[in-house]
Amino acid sequence: MKFLKLGFILSALTLFIFACAENKSTLPDSQANMPAVNTTIVNMNAQTNAKTDEIAATKKIYTEKCVRCHKEDGTGGVTDIEGTKIKAPDLTTEKMKNEDDKEFIDVIENGAKEDGMPAFKGKLNDAEIKNLVKFIRSEFQK
Protein backbone atom coordinates (compact mmCIF):
# COMPACT_ATOMS: atom_id res chain seq x y z
CA MET A 1 0.00 0.00 0.00
CA LYS A 2 2.89 2.35 0.73
CA PHE A 3 4.31 1.67 -2.72
CA LEU A 4 0.93 2.40 -4.30
CA LYS A 5 0.63 5.77 -2.46
CA LEU A 6 4.25 6.61 -3.28
CA GLY A 7 3.66 5.72 -6.96
CA PHE A 8 0.50 7.84 -7.03
CA ILE A 9 2.29 10.85 -5.50
CA LEU A 10 5.22 10.54 -7.89
CA SER A 11 2.82 10.27 -10.85
CA ALA A 12 0.96 13.38 -9.72
CA LEU A 13 4.22 15.25 -9.19
CA THR A 14 5.44 14.19 -12.63
CA LEU A 15 2.21 15.39 -14.27
CA PHE A 16 2.42 18.68 -12.38
CA ILE A 17 6.03 19.26 -13.52
CA PHE A 18 5.13 18.28 -17.08
CA ALA A 19 2.16 20.68 -17.12
CA CYS A 20 4.25 23.52 -15.77
CA ALA A 21 7.01 22.84 -18.27
CA GLU A 22 4.47 23.02 -21.14
CA ASN A 23 3.24 26.44 -20.00
CA LYS A 24 6.81 27.71 -19.89
CA SER A 25 7.46 26.47 -23.40
CA THR A 26 4.40 28.35 -24.74
CA LEU A 27 5.47 31.57 -23.02
CA PRO A 28 8.06 32.51 -25.65
CA ASP A 29 5.43 31.97 -28.38
CA SER A 30 3.15 34.48 -26.68
CA GLN A 31 6.08 36.87 -26.47
CA ALA A 32 6.89 36.38 -30.14
CA ASN A 33 4.69 39.39 -30.89
CA MET A 34 6.57 41.59 -28.43
CA PRO A 35 9.36 42.57 -30.82
CA ALA A 36 6.74 43.95 -33.22
CA VAL A 37 5.31 46.07 -30.42
CA ASN A 38 8.78 47.14 -29.38
CA THR A 39 9.63 47.94 -33.01
CA THR A 40 6.52 50.09 -33.26
CA ILE A 41 7.50 51.97 -30.11
CA VAL A 42 11.05 52.43 -31.42
CA ASN A 43 9.68 53.74 -34.74
CA MET A 44 7.36 56.13 -32.93
CA ASN A 45 10.27 57.36 -30.81
CA ALA A 46 12.39 57.83 -33.93
CA GLN A 47 9.61 59.85 -35.57
CA THR A 48 9.18 61.95 -32.45
CA ASN A 49 12.94 62.54 -32.26
CA ALA A 50 13.06 63.48 -35.93
CA LYS A 51 10.18 65.94 -35.44
CA THR A 52 11.87 67.37 -32.35
CA ASP A 53 15.13 67.76 -34.29
CA GLU A 54 13.25 69.45 -37.15
CA ILE A 55 11.57 71.88 -34.75
CA ALA A 56 14.89 72.63 -33.04
CA ALA A 57 16.61 73.22 -36.39
CA THR A 58 13.80 75.51 -37.53
CA LYS A 59 13.84 77.43 -34.25
CA LYS A 60 17.58 77.93 -34.75
CA ILE A 61 16.94 79.31 -38.24
CA TYR A 62 14.27 81.66 -36.86
CA THR A 63 16.65 82.79 -34.11
CA GLU A 64 19.52 83.38 -36.55
CA LYS A 65 17.62 84.90 -39.48
CA CYS A 66 14.32 86.33 -38.22
CA VAL A 67 14.52 87.42 -34.57
CA ARG A 68 16.34 90.70 -35.27
CA CYS A 69 13.26 92.00 -37.06
CA HIS A 70 10.32 89.84 -36.00
CA LYS A 71 11.43 89.52 -32.35
CA GLU A 72 11.37 86.40 -30.15
CA ASP A 73 7.59 86.54 -29.81
CA GLY A 74 6.88 87.25 -33.50
CA THR A 75 5.41 90.72 -32.86
CA GLY A 76 7.76 92.48 -35.29
CA GLY A 77 7.84 96.26 -35.59
CA VAL A 78 10.19 98.84 -37.07
CA THR A 79 13.88 98.02 -36.70
CA ASP A 80 17.00 99.80 -37.85
CA ILE A 81 19.59 97.33 -39.10
CA GLU A 82 22.84 98.76 -40.43
CA GLY A 83 21.13 102.00 -41.41
CA THR A 84 18.18 100.30 -43.10
CA LYS A 85 14.68 100.71 -41.67
CA ILE A 86 12.85 97.41 -41.69
CA LYS A 87 9.10 97.16 -41.05
CA ALA A 88 8.60 93.58 -39.90
CA PRO A 89 4.95 92.59 -39.69
CA ASP A 90 3.46 91.23 -36.49
CA LEU A 91 3.19 87.49 -37.20
CA THR A 92 0.64 87.06 -34.39
CA THR A 93 -2.17 89.14 -35.94
CA GLU A 94 -5.38 87.78 -37.43
CA LYS A 95 -4.33 89.18 -40.81
CA MET A 96 -1.14 87.13 -40.75
CA LYS A 97 -3.01 84.06 -39.52
CA ASN A 98 -5.23 84.32 -42.59
CA GLU A 99 -2.30 84.67 -45.01
CA ASP A 100 -1.86 81.71 -47.31
CA ASP A 101 1.25 79.56 -46.80
CA LYS A 102 2.23 80.26 -50.43
CA GLU A 103 2.29 83.99 -49.66
CA PHE A 104 4.53 83.40 -46.63
CA ILE A 105 6.85 81.23 -48.71
CA ASP A 106 6.96 83.84 -51.51
CA VAL A 107 7.87 86.63 -49.09
CA ILE A 108 10.54 84.53 -47.36
CA GLU A 109 12.04 83.48 -50.70
CA ASN A 110 11.86 86.82 -52.53
CA GLY A 111 11.76 89.30 -49.66
CA ALA A 112 9.55 92.36 -49.33
CA LYS A 113 11.49 95.31 -50.71
CA GLU A 114 8.90 97.90 -49.57
CA ASP A 115 9.32 96.70 -45.96
CA GLY A 116 13.08 96.10 -46.20
CA MET A 117 12.89 92.33 -45.80
CA PRO A 118 15.73 90.55 -47.59
CA ALA A 119 15.23 87.52 -49.82
CA PHE A 120 16.24 84.16 -48.40
CA LYS A 121 16.07 82.15 -51.62
CA GLY A 122 19.45 80.49 -51.97
CA LYS A 123 20.20 81.08 -48.28
CA LEU A 124 17.54 78.62 -47.09
CA ASN A 125 16.41 75.52 -48.96
CA ASP A 126 12.76 74.74 -49.78
CA ALA A 127 12.31 72.39 -46.80
CA GLU A 128 13.75 74.97 -44.39
CA ILE A 129 11.42 77.65 -45.71
CA LYS A 130 8.36 75.37 -45.45
CA ASN A 131 9.40 74.37 -41.92
CA LEU A 132 9.80 78.04 -41.05
CA VAL A 133 6.20 78.68 -42.12
CA LYS A 134 5.05 75.69 -40.00
CA PHE A 135 7.07 77.07 -37.09
CA ILE A 136 5.47 80.51 -37.41
CA ARG A 137 2.01 78.93 -37.55
CA SER A 138 2.60 76.72 -34.51
CA GLU A 139 4.48 79.22 -32.34
CA PHE A 140 2.83 82.56 -33.07
CA GLN A 141 -0.55 81.81 -34.59
CA LYS A 142 -2.20 79.41 -32.16
Side-chain angles (χ1 to χ4, degrees):
M1 185 76 165
K2 288 183 180 182
F3 289 114
L4 186 58
K5 286 181 183 178
L6 186 60
F8 181 73
I9 291 173
L10 286 175
S11 296
L13 186 59
T14 303
L15 285 173
F16 180 75
I17 292 171
F18 181 72
C20 289
E22 266 189 47
N23 285 339
K24 286 183 182 176
S25 67
T26 60
L27 189 59
D29 291 339
S30 68
Q31 290 179 343
N33 293 332
M34 291 304 288
V37 172
N38 289 340
T39 302
T40 302
I41 291 170
V42 168
N43 288 340
M44 288 171 55
N45 286 339
Q47 289 172 350
T48 301
N49 289 342
K51 216 171 242 195
T52 302
D53 291 345
E54 181 180 290
I55 291 168
T58 305
K59 187 171 185 161
K60 182 178 180 195
I61 291 169
Y62 182 83
T63 301
E64 291 174 355
K65 309 278 187 201
C66 310
V67 164
R68 288 177 68 184
C69 301
H70 292 280
K71 300 181 184 164
E72 286 280 340
D73 60 1
T75 56
V78 178
T79 308
D80 184 34
I81 297 180
E82 299 171 9
T84 303
K85 292 263 188 214
I86 297 176
K87 281 188 339 192
D90 183 344
L91 301 172
T92 66
T93 64
E94 286 300 315
K95 178 185 176 198
M96 295 306 282
K97 288 179 187 179
N98 294 325
E99 285 287 327
D100 187 50
D101 285 357
K102 291 177 187 174
E103 181 66 27
F104 267 107
I105 290 169
D106 182 57
V107 171
I108 294 168
E109 286 179 340
N110 302 312
K113 295 189 188 339
E114 65 278 357
D115 293 331
M117 179 169 168
F120 287 93
K121 191 173 196 168
K123 298 175 186 174
L124 299 173
N125 65 40
D126 290 342
E128 290 171 327
I129 291 172
K130 287 178 183 175
N131 287 337
L132 200 50
V133 172
K134 286 183 203 173
F135 178 80
I136 290 166
R137 298 279 191 213
S138 67
E139 290 297 311
F140 308 126
Q141 300 178 348
K142 299 174 187 174

PDB file of all heavy atoms in Angstrom, residues 4-5 23 30 42 56 62 72 75 78 84 90 92 121 124 130 140:
ATOM      1  N   LEU A   4       2.005   1.881  -3.476  1.00  0.00           N
ATOM      2  CA  LEU A   4       0.930   2.404  -4.300  1.00  0.00           C
ATOM      3  C   LEU A   4       0.748   3.897  -4.060  1.00  0.00           C
ATOM      4  O   LEU A   4       0.627   4.688  -5.010  1.00  0.00           O
ATOM      5  CB  LEU A   4      -0.374   1.659  -3.990  1.00  0.00           C
ATOM      6  CG  LEU A   4      -1.571   1.998  -4.878  1.00  0.00           C
ATOM      7  CD1 LEU A   4      -1.260   1.733  -6.333  1.00  0.00           C
ATOM      8  CD2 LEU A   4      -2.769   1.184  -4.435  1.00  0.00           C
ATOM      9  N   LYS A   5       0.743   4.351  -2.787  1.00  0.00           N
ATOM     10  CA  LYS A   5       0.630   5.769  -2.458  1.00  0.00           C
ATOM     11  C   LYS A   5       1.832   6.527  -2.990  1.00  0.00           C
ATOM     12  O   LYS A   5       1.694   7.616  -3.555  1.00  0.00           O
ATOM     13  CB  LYS A   5       0.533   5.970  -0.948  1.00  0.00           C
ATOM     14  CG  LYS A   5      -0.792   5.591  -0.359  1.00  0.00           C
ATOM     15  CD  LYS A   5      -0.770   5.866   1.131  1.00  0.00           C
ATOM     16  CE  LYS A   5      -2.070   5.443   1.797  1.00  0.00           C
ATOM     17  NZ  LYS A   5      -2.036   5.651   3.245  1.00  0.00           N
ATOM     18  N   ASN A  23       3.601  25.034 -20.062  1.00  0.00           N
ATOM     19  CA  ASN A  23       3.240  26.444 -20.003  1.00  0.00           C
ATOM     20  C   ASN A  23       4.449  27.330 -20.218  1.00  0.00           C
ATOM     21  O   ASN A  23       4.367  28.340 -20.882  1.00  0.00           O
ATOM     22  CB  ASN A  23       2.576  26.786 -18.669  1.00  0.00           C
ATOM     23  CG  ASN A  23       1.155  26.273 -18.590  1.00  0.00           C
ATOM     24  OD1 ASN A  23       0.539  26.017 -19.624  1.00  0.00           O
ATOM     25  ND2 ASN A  23       0.648  26.112 -17.391  1.00  0.00           N
ATOM     26  N   SER A  30       4.020  33.335 -26.947  1.00  0.00           N
ATOM     27  CA  SER A  30       3.153  34.477 -26.675  1.00  0.00           C
ATOM     28  C   SER A  30       3.952  35.775 -26.686  1.00  0.00           C
ATOM     29  O   SER A  30       3.417  36.836 -26.945  1.00  0.00           O
ATOM     30  CB  SER A  30       2.422  34.310 -25.343  1.00  0.00           C
ATOM     31  OG  SER A  30       3.335  34.373 -24.277  1.00  0.00           O
ATOM     32  N   VAL A  42       9.774  51.864 -30.973  1.00  0.00           N
ATOM     33  CA  VAL A  42      11.049  52.429 -31.425  1.00  0.00           C
ATOM     34  C   VAL A  42      10.814  53.347 -32.617  1.00  0.00           C
ATOM     35  O   VAL A  42      11.360  54.449 -32.686  1.00  0.00           O
ATOM     36  CB  VAL A  42      12.057  51.309 -31.766  1.00  0.00           C
ATOM     37  CG1 VAL A  42      13.251  51.851 -32.509  1.00  0.00           C
ATOM     38  CG2 VAL A  42      12.491  50.598 -30.495  1.00  0.00           C
ATOM     39  N   ALA A  56      13.714  71.961 -33.607  1.00  0.00           N
ATOM     40  CA  ALA A  56      14.894  72.629 -33.044  1.00  0.00           C
ATOM     41  C   ALA A  56      15.700  73.313 -34.146  1.00  0.00           C
ATOM     42  O   ALA A  56      16.161  74.450 -33.972  1.00  0.00           O
ATOM     43  CB  ALA A  56      15.753  71.626 -32.285  1.00  0.00           C
ATOM     44  N   TYR A  62      15.049  80.477 -37.236  1.00  0.00           N
ATOM     45  CA  TYR A  62      14.271  81.663 -36.858  1.00  0.00           C
ATOM     46  C   TYR A  62      15.114  82.589 -35.981  1.00  0.00           C
ATOM     47  O   TYR A  62      15.147  83.799 -36.198  1.00  0.00           O
ATOM     48  CB  TYR A  62      12.965  81.271 -36.139  1.00  0.00           C
ATOM     49  CG  TYR A  62      12.129  82.468 -35.793  1.00  0.00           C
ATOM     50  CD1 TYR A  62      11.288  83.047 -36.738  1.00  0.00           C
ATOM     51  CD2 TYR A  62      12.199  83.060 -34.536  1.00  0.00           C
ATOM     52  CE1 TYR A  62      10.533  84.179 -36.434  1.00  0.00           C
ATOM     53  CE2 TYR A  62      11.448  84.190 -34.224  1.00  0.00           C
ATOM     54  CZ  TYR A  62      10.626  84.749 -35.174  1.00  0.00           C
ATOM     55  OH  TYR A  62       9.895  85.870 -34.875  1.00  0.00           O
ATOM     56  N   GLU A  72      11.528  87.757 -30.710  1.00  0.00           N
ATOM     57  CA  GLU A  72      11.371  86.402 -30.153  1.00  0.00           C
ATOM     58  C   GLU A  72       9.916  85.957 -30.162  1.00  0.00           C
ATOM     59  O   GLU A  72       9.625  84.787 -30.380  1.00  0.00           O
ATOM     60  CB  GLU A  72      11.891  86.333 -28.711  1.00  0.00           C
ATOM     61  CG  GLU A  72      13.391  86.350 -28.576  1.00  0.00           C
ATOM     62  CD  GLU A  72      14.032  85.003 -28.834  1.00  0.00           C
ATOM     63  OE1 GLU A  72      13.355  83.966 -28.754  1.00  0.00           O
ATOM     64  OE2 GLU A  72      15.236  85.004 -29.119  1.00  0.00           O
ATOM     65  N   THR A  75       6.210  89.497 -32.769  1.00  0.00           N
ATOM     66  CA  THR A  75       5.408  90.723 -32.864  1.00  0.00           C
ATOM     67  C   THR A  75       5.973  91.761 -33.835  1.00  0.00           C
ATOM     68  O   THR A  75       5.265  92.716 -34.179  1.00  0.00           O
ATOM     69  CB  THR A  75       5.236  91.373 -31.477  1.00  0.00           C
ATOM     70  OG1 THR A  75       6.523  91.618 -30.913  1.00  0.00           O
ATOM     71  CG2 THR A  75       4.417  90.493 -30.562  1.00  0.00           C
ATOM     72  N   VAL A  78       9.192  98.139 -36.264  1.00  0.00           N
ATOM     73  CA  VAL A  78      10.188  98.839 -37.067  1.00  0.00           C
ATOM     74  C   VAL A  78      11.551  98.675 -36.400  1.00  0.00           C
ATOM     75  O   VAL A  78      11.703  98.901 -35.200  1.00  0.00           O
ATOM     76  CB  VAL A  78       9.841 100.338 -37.220  1.00  0.00           C
ATOM     77  CG1 VAL A  78      10.912 101.071 -38.023  1.00  0.00           C
ATOM     78  CG2 VAL A  78       8.482 100.495 -37.876  1.00  0.00           C
ATOM     79  N   THR A  84      19.370 100.592 -42.305  1.00  0.00           N
ATOM     80  CA  THR A  84      18.177 100.304 -43.103  1.00  0.00           C
ATOM     81  C   THR A  84      16.986 100.113 -42.183  1.00  0.00           C
ATOM     82  O   THR A  84      17.038  99.303 -41.249  1.00  0.00           O
ATOM     83  CB  THR A  84      18.388  99.018 -43.948  1.00  0.00           C
ATOM     84  OG1 THR A  84      19.545  99.177 -44.770  1.00  0.00           O
ATOM     85  CG2 THR A  84      17.186  98.727 -44.814  1.00  0.00           C
ATOM     86  N   ASP A  90       3.776  91.993 -37.697  1.00  0.00           N
ATOM     87  CA  ASP A  90       3.460  91.226 -36.492  1.00  0.00           C
ATOM     88  C   ASP A  90       2.876  89.893 -36.951  1.00  0.00           C
ATOM     89  O   ASP A  90       1.773  89.835 -37.503  1.00  0.00           O
ATOM     90  CB  ASP A  90       2.457  92.014 -35.644  1.00  0.00           C
ATOM     91  CG  ASP A  90       2.110  91.328 -34.338  1.00  0.00           C
ATOM     92  OD1 ASP A  90       2.386  90.124 -34.188  1.00  0.00           O
ATOM     93  OD2 ASP A  90       1.546  92.002 -33.456  1.00  0.00           O
ATOM     94  N   THR A  92       1.678  87.580 -35.280  1.00  0.00           N
ATOM     95  CA  THR A  92       0.639  87.059 -34.391  1.00  0.00           C
ATOM     96  C   THR A  92      -0.757  87.591 -34.708  1.00  0.00           C
ATOM     97  O   THR A  92      -1.728  87.154 -34.097  1.00  0.00           O
ATOM     98  CB  THR A  92       0.971  87.378 -32.920  1.00  0.00           C
ATOM     99  OG1 THR A  92       0.924  88.784 -32.717  1.00  0.00           O
ATOM    100  CG2 THR A  92       2.344  86.849 -32.527  1.00  0.00           C
ATOM    101  N   LYS A 121      15.917  83.199 -50.609  1.00  0.00           N
ATOM    102  CA  LYS A 121      16.074  82.154 -51.618  1.00  0.00           C
ATOM    103  C   LYS A 121      17.566  81.979 -51.876  1.00  0.00           C
ATOM    104  O   LYS A 121      18.290  82.953 -52.067  1.00  0.00           O
ATOM    105  CB  LYS A 121      15.359  82.548 -52.903  1.00  0.00           C
ATOM    106  CG  LYS A 121      15.242  81.431 -53.899  1.00  0.00           C
ATOM    107  CD  LYS A 121      14.370  81.846 -55.070  1.00  0.00           C
ATOM    108  CE  LYS A 121      13.942  80.624 -55.836  1.00  0.00           C
ATOM    109  NZ  LYS A 121      12.879  80.941 -56.785  1.00  0.00           N
ATOM    110  N   LEU A 124      18.286  79.705 -47.736  1.00  0.00           N
ATOM    111  CA  LEU A 124      17.542  78.621 -47.089  1.00  0.00           C
ATOM    112  C   LEU A 124      16.989  77.723 -48.186  1.00  0.00           C
ATOM    113  O   LEU A 124      16.573  78.221 -49.238  1.00  0.00           O
ATOM    114  CB  LEU A 124      16.379  79.169 -46.254  1.00  0.00           C
ATOM    115  CG  LEU A 124      16.717  80.097 -45.098  1.00  0.00           C
ATOM    116  CD1 LEU A 124      15.431  80.673 -44.495  1.00  0.00           C
ATOM    117  CD2 LEU A 124      17.500  79.357 -44.028  1.00  0.00           C
ATOM    118  N   LYS A 130       9.664  75.952 -45.806  1.00  0.00           N
ATOM    119  CA  LYS A 130       8.360  75.368 -45.450  1.00  0.00           C
ATOM    120  C   LYS A 130       8.283  75.100 -43.947  1.00  0.00           C
ATOM    121  O   LYS A 130       7.258  75.345 -43.318  1.00  0.00           O
ATOM    122  CB  LYS A 130       8.123  74.080 -46.234  1.00  0.00           C
ATOM    123  CG  LYS A 130       7.805  74.336 -47.687  1.00  0.00           C
ATOM    124  CD  LYS A 130       7.611  73.051 -48.454  1.00  0.00           C
ATOM    125  CE  LYS A 130       7.380  73.365 -49.924  1.00  0.00           C
ATOM    126  NZ  LYS A 130       7.292  72.145 -50.736  1.00  0.00           N
ATOM    127  N   PHE A 140       3.361  81.209 -33.197  1.00  0.00           N
ATOM    128  CA  PHE A 140       2.829  82.564 -33.071  1.00  0.00           C
ATOM    129  C   PHE A 140       1.360  82.704 -33.460  1.00  0.00           C
ATOM    130  O   PHE A 140       0.778  83.752 -33.243  1.00  0.00           O
ATOM    131  CB  PHE A 140       3.652  83.541 -33.907  1.00  0.00           C
ATOM    132  CG  PHE A 140       5.137  83.459 -33.639  1.00  0.00           C
ATOM    133  CD1 PHE A 140       6.032  83.258 -34.684  1.00  0.00           C
ATOM    134  CD2 PHE A 140       5.625  83.575 -32.357  1.00  0.00           C
ATOM    135  CE1 PHE A 140       7.388  83.188 -34.425  1.00  0.00           C
ATOM    136  CE2 PHE A 140       6.977  83.503 -32.099  1.00  0.00           C
ATOM    137  CZ  PHE A 140       7.872  83.294 -33.133  1.00  0.00           C
TER     138      PHE A 140
END
